[in-house]
Amino acid sequence: MSSLEIAELTGKRHDNVMRDIRSMLVELYGEGRLPSFGGTSKVTQPNGGEREVPCFNLPKRETMILVSGYSVVLRSRIVDRWMELEEAAKSAFAPALPDFTNPARAAIAWAEQYERAEKERRRGDIPPTP
């Protein structure tokens, strides 16, 4: 999750969130061993233009550690957002299951899956089954 999104969700100024993240990372990892979570992001200016700003892109663990020092309401916003992100990632990679209450649709889904697997085997993507 980006520091910009954390700032937006918590209602804090981005520069203060950046300061909090830097301080947290130094405490967690030490001054000389900071992980590389830094980056930049484009933000829209009030005049409609865009500019690059420095930001952090934190993994879930560090995000949770950071916001655990914030208020309960702010923590809940972050937790809710992480749950949305994980659900979106899960549905992006997980194949939809067939409707098992409808035998015909389940059979069609099985046949389509079988055909895909056979094509992959023929291309050499999947080793043959013993």
Side-chain angles (χ1 to χ4, degrees):
M1 183 177 291
S2 78
S3 54
L4 289 165
E5 190 168 14
I6 293 169
E8 182 181 322
L9 289 167
T10 60
K12 293 181 167 282
R13 288 182 21 181
H14 185 244
D15 61 327
N16 291 336
V17 171
M18 293 283 286
R19 180 202 62 219
D20 294 346
I21 292 171
R22 278 189 206 95
S23 180
M24 174 194 71
L25 293 176
V26 167
E27 278 191 59
L28 287 174
Y29 301 103
E31 189 72 47
R33 297 182 27 220
L34 294 179
S36 178
F37 297 134
T40 61
S41 187
K42 289 183 181 178
V43 294
T44 304
Q45 301 284 96
N47 66 3
E50 287 186 336
R51 71 179 172 104
E52 292 273 329
V53 296
C55 70
F56 284 102
N57 295 301
L58 297 179
K60 182 178 181 178
R61 177 182 182 270
E62 281 71 11
T63 303
M64 297 304 185
I65 292 169
L66 175 71
V67 300
S68 66
Y70 294 167
S71 77
V72 172
V73 173
L74 301 182
R75 281 196 306 267
S76 71
R77 289 182 191 154
I78 297 295
V79 169
D80 291 345
R81 179 63 180 138
W82 260 112
M83 290 170 68
E84 288 174 11
L85 291 170
E86 288 175 337
E87 193 59 39
K90 205 183 313 175
S91 63
F93 294 108
L97 292 175
D99 179 5
F100 289 109
T101 62
N102 183 329
R105 288 187 190 213
I108 291 169
W110 177 84
E112 289 171 349
Q113 179 183 0
Y114 181 82
E115 286 178 17
R116 278 193 302 275
E118 282 301 307
K119 285 179 186 175
E120 289 174 3
R121 271 192 202 84
R122 277 186 244 123
R123 284 196 325 252
D125 295 344
I126 297 176
T129 54

